[in-house]
Amino acid sequence: MSRATLTIDTGAIAANWRALDARSAAQVETGAVVKADAYGLGAARVAKALASIGVRSFFVALAEEGTELRATLGPKPMIGVFSGHMAGDAALIGEHTLTPMLNSPEQVQRHFAHLPGHPFGIQLDSGMNRLGIEPADWTGLRQAVMQARPDLIMSHLACADEADHPMNARQLAAFRDLTNGLGVARSLAATGGILLGADYHFDLTRPGIGLYGGAPFQDASDVVRLSLPVIQARALSPGETVGYGNSWQAARPSRIATVAAGYADGLIRAMSGRATLWAGQVPCPLVGRVSMDLITVDITDLPETPESLDILGPAQGVDALAEAAGTIGYEILTGLGRRYARRYEAAA
Ligand SMILES: *Cc1c(COP(=O)(O)O)cnc(C)c1O
């Protein structure tokens, strides 16, 4: 079989949620962000595992993601939608009991007009200038919104992965100014915000990447292993080249393994000549260009040709691979290909 295997440890995801939950006080609720198919790892499996250990609030980006999640989780958990109430979504939001985080005066109007009495949250812009009601608009809307009793008021931090960044304190102060004294549950922290400490926790936290083993949560348990089958191996003489564009040339007698995954599977082309695969603890450099379905790997230093090589696993996590490719762990995870055979285990 040339299909690569992506092993996802839902026990490690549960352990990461518990570890992040332990970073905030007992009265602070810890939610879970499962947008983009739980960062590529499978929203249904991940959300079920998290619900089974007591997670009560989930977040997605789009209403459509929320409807699938509702079918998975049943009626009880809160499912928040970061993009809010978009035109045409009233039926989805209403029938599946989603909680849109309203982002603009238009969304507030739309929600009150189409779904009066239906649960909602408010997303405020505290300085990131991406999603959320602007402070000037909030002043005018606040009274009507508070009369309709929102379930949550939230905002999002732009620089939380840098603990010393002055933007964190600025956004904290802005969020407090906009929300102090309202008597509504508040949420400011994603993974990075949880690690910034108690001032940032408010009533509910919203971790995503930390659950899936990524930075900035340095103490996370490994969640994914990606094993790529070796299709064939060959001996090269010095001076022979490998792959498109002849971009790598053997400097010594070499053995090159051709391995079954490529940029169509999320191993982005920027990894060409830069990433490392692993045979247990032995590093094997990716050589030549990444092509659509294949990569080529220098296995000269291995005693024999392995059946497979790992590109994610205990020897190399998502952040290490991301660094080699000039990106971030989030992009590596959400790019994980649809062709991989996903295997779930609950080791922890
Ligand atoms: C994606 C997202 C999160 C989760 O962020 P992580 O950095 O993955 O923990 C939380 N809140 C909002 C608004 C988001 O868009």
Side-chain angles (χ1 to χ4, degrees):
M1 177 170 102
S2 73
R3 201 174 182 203
T5 303
L6 178 66
T7 306
I8 297 156
D9 184 348
T10 54
I13 295 174
N16 289 335
W17 183 84
R18 288 195 171 105
L20 287 166
D21 184 47
R23 299 289 180 110
S24 60
Q27 72 273 14
V28 176
E29 182 185 346
T30 302
V33 177
V34 295
K35 61 191 179 189
D37 202 24
Y39 294 42
L41 300 184
R45 300 295 291 257
V46 167
K48 264 191 198 155
L50 289 171
S52 78
I53 61 164
V55 180
R56 289 173 287 130
S57 297
F58 294 83
F59 292 90
V60 293
L62 327 179
E64 285 82 354
E65 295 179 316
T67 64
E68 287 178 31
L69 195 60
R70 180 60 75 204
T72 301
L73 291 175
K76 265 202 167 154
M78 195 282 292
I79 299 177
V81 180
F82 288 141
S83 61
H85 189 146
M86 296 290 285
D89 280 356
L92 284 186
I93 291 167
E95 284 163 24
H96 302 271
T97 325
L98 308 178
T99 305
M101 301 293 136
L102 306 179
N103 285 303
S104 65
E106 293 72 26
Q107 288 203 350
V108 170
Q109 254 183 358
R110 182 180 297 132
H111 190 72
F112 290 1
H114 291 276
L115 292 173
H118 182 93
F120 68 98
I122 292 287
Q123 183 157 201
L124 299 176
D125 177 36
S126 56
M128 186 174 179
N129 288 308
R130 187 183 66 170
L131 280 179
I133 296 171
E134 286 295 311
D137 291 327
W138 179 233
T139 306
L141 283 170
R142 183 162 46 198
Q143 203 184 357
V145 165
M146 292 311 296
Q147 273 171 7
R149 303 168 63 89
D151 288 335
L152 184 70
I153 300 186
M154 61 167 281
S155 189
H156 193 51
L157 297 168
C159 304
D161 57 339
E162 295 175 60
D164 298 332
H165 202 296
M167 183 66 165
N168 295 320
R170 278 212 298 278
Q171 286 193 265
L172 176 62
F175 187 59
R176 282 181 172 149
D177 275 353
L178 294 166
T179 61
N180 270 352
L182 292 179
V184 178
R186 294 186 283 180
S187 176
L188 181 61
T191 303
I194 294 173
L195 304 176
L196 292 178
D199 282 352
Y200 290 82
H201 295 164
F202 293 91
D203 301 294
L204 170 72
T205 61
R206 313 183 306 270
I209 192 72
L211 305 175
Y212 310 114
F217 187 32
Q218 303 299 344
D219 301 336
S221 303
D222 287 330
V223 170
V224 290
R225 177 168 173 199
L226 178 54
S227 290
L228 311 178
V230 173
I231 299 173
Q232 65 173 158
R234 76 189 76 242
L236 269 67
S237 305
E240 284 195 271
T241 56
V242 172
Y244 285 123
N246 290 359
S247 69
W248 186 84
Q249 186 171 40
R252 58 173 177 167
S254 302
R255 274 191 79 70
I256 299 297
T258 302
V259 172
Y263 59 73
D265 305 294
L267 303 183
I268 57 177
R269 212 159 157 276
M271 291 175 190
S272 299
R274 299 180 58 184
T276 303
L277 286 87
W278 296 81
Q281 291 305 306
V282 183
C284 303
L286 190 162
V287 297
R289 280 194 196 152
V290 174
S291 49
M292 187 182 294
D293 318 298
L294 301 166
I295 54 178
T296 36
V297 182
D298 185 347
I299 57 165
T300 312
D301 295 334
L302 296 181
E304 54 194 54
T305 302
E307 277 183 26
S308 65
L309 290 162
D310 286 357
I311 193 160
L312 290 171
Q316 175 169 276
V318 290
D319 296 302
L321 180 60
E323 174 137 354
T327 181
I328 54 175
Y330 297 77
E331 195 177 25
I332 297 293
L333 284 174
T334 56
L336 289 168
R338 314 205 63 81
R339 293 194 288 194
Y340 300 142
R342 281 165 167 73
R343 268 189 40 209
Y344 290 86
E345 57 183 37

